Structure formats: structure tokens, C-alpha cells
């Protein structure tokens, strides 16, 4: 597996390659969910590129940024074992050579006002800036992202449309632990007890609890805060009643860790 730390070196290598490029952007602390994206890319494309970059501009909470897990050596072994061809591990200055002020703004419309957009001001602008720069450096044919971050997929679809990029976005299913907990890099920060309590998110989905009962159940099982539990249209993410199909989206905090998850009731 080739490793690059600068856009220049990465691009000169990719220019020498023939065949389609699949790209999997990550923030590291890799788990089986990330690796499922690498596997999908390997099925569909000839060269698979992953990136590892904890993007400062998408964190609205400085302590979340500081505490974000970093496991680079283990990440590299997992990527190599999965058959990833190239990993790009840029520095902050490689992505932001002109600093992090005065960044472009993306017209995301309502997507920025609802759910994660509402609860994490500025988050999706930061996501768009970094993903746009990574796409510009790598120029992939296909981009692989997880449905775990359902609204992020919608935001990147919008970015691709706004920037008119010739890229196919492929959304891959959420990988869960055997007990139903959605895999997440932030799960490392939960105690063993909290990891079990966090399965109440999945239980709430499976039991199709109303938002009120769902909230009560989470607060009774170790969660200190529920930011939202919303039933939405899976296509538009606008609010919907419990008429099928609907998507349940959850953001809730346990042990100071903010978890998100979603589940389709078809
Ligand atoms: P992150 O490192 O959290 O930025 O995630 C990188 C990519 O992996 C994003 O496209 C996520 O949606 C995806 N991802 C994260 N967790 C999972 C999971 N449990 N199953 C599938 N994809 C995931």
C-alpha cells in the first residue's frame, strides 16, 4: 500500500495509474464499518484510495476535536490487510495552505437547517470544504460513504451537484456490532457498560418507539441528553409521521460522547 502525505506526491502517483479510482474519505480510528467501504470500492473500482484526516473545520465542539481517537498504526494495518492501494494522510497545511479563515461557502439550503445541520452549526460547511478539496486532489470516479451518516450523504450529493463533479456517490449500509450498536470511531470513548447501554438506540428502532417513548427509554438507560429523534422522509429528510417508509434519525449523548444513528422503517 502506497502512503502519501502531500497532494503533490499523491497526484503524481495517481497520474501514472490507469483504471477507475474509488475513494473512501475517513477521519481514522478505523473499524469494520470503514473497511466495508474499502471492500465495496475494491469490488467496483481498479484503484482504491483512502484518506485519513481529522478535519478541524467540521468540529463545532473543540473538545470533541481534541478527544477524537487517533490510532494511525492500527489504521494502516487494517487498510493494508483489506487491500487498499493508496492512503493519503495530509497535514492541515496540505489541505488548508491559505489557512482556515475565509473558506468557500456552499449553498446547502434546508439541509443545513435540520437535524445535524441545526445541532452542529457550521459542521456541513466544513465537511464540504474538506471533501471538495480531497475530491479535487484525487479525482475519483466513485466515492464511497456510509449511510450511518445519512444526512452527510445527502450533503455530499448536493456538493457534487453544486460543483458539477463527474463522480458517482455510492452509499453503503451501516455496519453494526452483533448487539446492534452502530460501529463508530467514537465508541472507543465509551466504557463497557455505556457500550451496552448505547444499544438502546437500536432497540428503540426495532421496537418502533414513538419519539417520546424513545427519548424516555434512552434517558432511563445511561444517556444524559437526547438532541433529536426525528421521523423523516428517506429521500428529502423532511419531517414525516410514522407512515412507512420513514427513516428514524437519532442524535444522543452518553458519557459525554455524541452518537448518531438512523434506521429505515420500510
Ligand atoms: P468517519 O471516519 O467517521 O468520517 O467516517 C468515514 C466514512 O465511514 C463515512 O462515509 C462514514 O459514514 C462511514 N462509516 C462510519 N461508520 C460506519 C458504519 N458503522 N458502517 C458503515 N459506514 C460507516
Amino acid at each position: 500500500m502506497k502512503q502519501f502525505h502531500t497532494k503533490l506526491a499523491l497526484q503524481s502517483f495517481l497520474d501514472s495509474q490507469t483504471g477507475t479510482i474509488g475513494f473512501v474519505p475517513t477521519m481514522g480510528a478505523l473499524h469494520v464499518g470503514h473497511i466495508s467501504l474499502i471492500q465495496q470500492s475494491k469490488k467496483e473500482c481498479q484503484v482504491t484510495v483512502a484518506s485519513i484526516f481529522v478535519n478541524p473545520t467540521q468540529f463545532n465542539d473543540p473538545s470533541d476535536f481534541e478527544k477524537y481517537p487517533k490510532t494511525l498504526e492500527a489504521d494502516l494495518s487494517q487498510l493494508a490487510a483489506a487491500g487498499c492501494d493508496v492512503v493519503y494522510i495530509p497535514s492541515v497545511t496540505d489541505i488548508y495552505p491559505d489557512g482556515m479563515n475565509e473558506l468557500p461557502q456552499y449553498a446547502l439550503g434546508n439541509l443545513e437547517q435540520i437535524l445535524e445541520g441545526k445541532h452542529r452549526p457550521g459542521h456541513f460547511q466544513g465537511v464540504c470544504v474538506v471533501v471538495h478539496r480531497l475530491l479535487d486532489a484525487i479525482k475519483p470516479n466513485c466515492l464511497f460513504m456510509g449511510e450511518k451518516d445519512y444526512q452527510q450523504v445527502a450533503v455530499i450529493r448536493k456538493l457534487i451537484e453544486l460543483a458539477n463533479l463527474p463522480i458517482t456517490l455510492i452509499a453503503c449500509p451501516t455496519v453494526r456490532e452483533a448487539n446492534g450498536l452502530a460501529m463508530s470511531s467514537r465508541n472507543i470513548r465509551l466504557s463497557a457498560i455505556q457500550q451496552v447501554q448505547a444499544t438502546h438506540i437500536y432497540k428503540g428502532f426495532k421496537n418502533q418507539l414513538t419519539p417520546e417513548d424513545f427519548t424516555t427509554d434512552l434517558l432511563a438507560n445511561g444517556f444524559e441528553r437526547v438532541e433529536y429523534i426525528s421521523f423523516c422522509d428517506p429521500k428529502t429528510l423532511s419531517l414525516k409521521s410514522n407512515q412507512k417508509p420513514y427513516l428514524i434519525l437519532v442524535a444522543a449523548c452518553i458519557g459525554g460522547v455524541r452518537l448518531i444513528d438512523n434506521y429505515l422503517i420500510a
Side-chain angles (χ1 to χ4, degrees):
M1 182 173 67
K2 296 267 184 200
Q3 277 183 44
F4 298 101
H5 295 272
T6 65
K7 175 176 162 174
L8 218 63
L10 171 74
Q11 282 183 321
S12 80
F13 174 77
L14 290 177
D15 284 347
S16 74
Q17 299 294 296
T18 52
T20 53
I21 297 179
F23 174 45
V24 179
T26 83
M27 298 204 297
L30 301 185
H31 49 67
V32 175
H34 295 112
I35 299 305
S36 74
L37 304 181
I38 301 289
Q39 287 163 342
Q40 197 57 40
S41 172
K42 284 185 63 69
K43 268 190 208 153
E44 298 194 31
C45 296
Q46 277 132 359
V47 179
T48 290
V49 181
S51 63
I52 298 177
F53 181 62
V54 185
N55 173 36
T57 67
Q58 74 186 70
F59 284 83
N60 54 313
D61 172 358
S63 97
D64 187 29
F65 176 60
E66 279 152 30
K67 290 182 189 161
Y68 201 82
K70 288 171 193 73
T71 59
L72 185 59
E73 287 313 308
D75 293 349
L76 296 175
S77 327
Q78 287 186 73
L79 289 174
C84 183
D85 301 294
V86 175
V87 59
Y88 176 40
I89 313 163
S91 62
V92 170
T93 45
D94 204 46
I95 297 292
Y96 297 105
D98 302 321
M100 292 186 278
N101 300 319
E102 296 179 35
L103 294 172
Q105 285 283 315
Y106 295 82
L108 299 175
N110 193 42
L111 274 175
E112 231 182 335
Q113 315 302 326
I114 58 171
L115 304 163
E116 290 300 282
K118 179 173 165 187
H119 288 269
R120 299 186 68 186
H123 168 65
F124 285 133
Q125 290 297 332
V127 169
C128 282
V129 172
V130 72
V131 173
H132 198 177
R133 290 182 179 190
L134 291 168
L135 294 176
D136 184 52
I138 294 159
K139 301 201 167 38
N141 301 83
C142 296
L143 171 63
F144 296 85
M145 302 190 85
E147 281 178 346
K148 156 84 168 41
D149 299 281
Y150 197 95
Q151 190 176 6
Q152 176 170 270
V153 172
V155 163
I156 300 304
R157 221 177 271 296
K158 182 84 183 167
L159 163 68
I160 288 172
E161 179 195 308
L162 289 171
N164 201 16
L165 302 172
I167 296 172
T168 305
L169 173 56
I170 295 152
C172 302
T174 302
V175 178
R176 297 180 181 280
E177 303 287 356
N179 63 14
L181 177 64
M183 291 192 183
S184 164
S185 304
R186 290 183 177 87
N187 292 351
I188 303 175
R189 294 178 47 209
L190 299 175
S191 69
I193 293 169
Q194 288 163 344
Q195 291 196 16
V196 173
Q197 291 175 315
T199 63
H200 278 263
I201 294 180
Y202 189 65
K203 288 182 181 141
F205 293 149
K206 282 292 185 187
N207 295 330
Q208 297 186 24
L209 297 182
T210 63
E212 295 72 29
D213 290 348
F214 205 148
T215 302
T216 306
D217 185 63
L218 293 183
L219 294 177
N221 286 284
F223 283 81
E224 65 264 11
R225 192 155 49 97
V226 175
E227 289 193 359
Y228 59 81
I229 296 180
S230 301
F231 290 3
C232 295
D233 182 301
K235 286 213 173 72
T236 63
L237 286 180
S238 56
L239 285 177
K240 203 180 167 183
S241 67
N242 60 350
Q243 252 193 337
K244 294 176 186 176
Y246 63 97
L247 188 75
I248 312 175
L249 296 110
V250 173
C253 301
I254 180 166
V257 180
R258 187 176 181 279
L259 299 180
I260 61 168
D261 198 353
N262 64 84
Y263 193 79
L264 181 69
I265 308 291

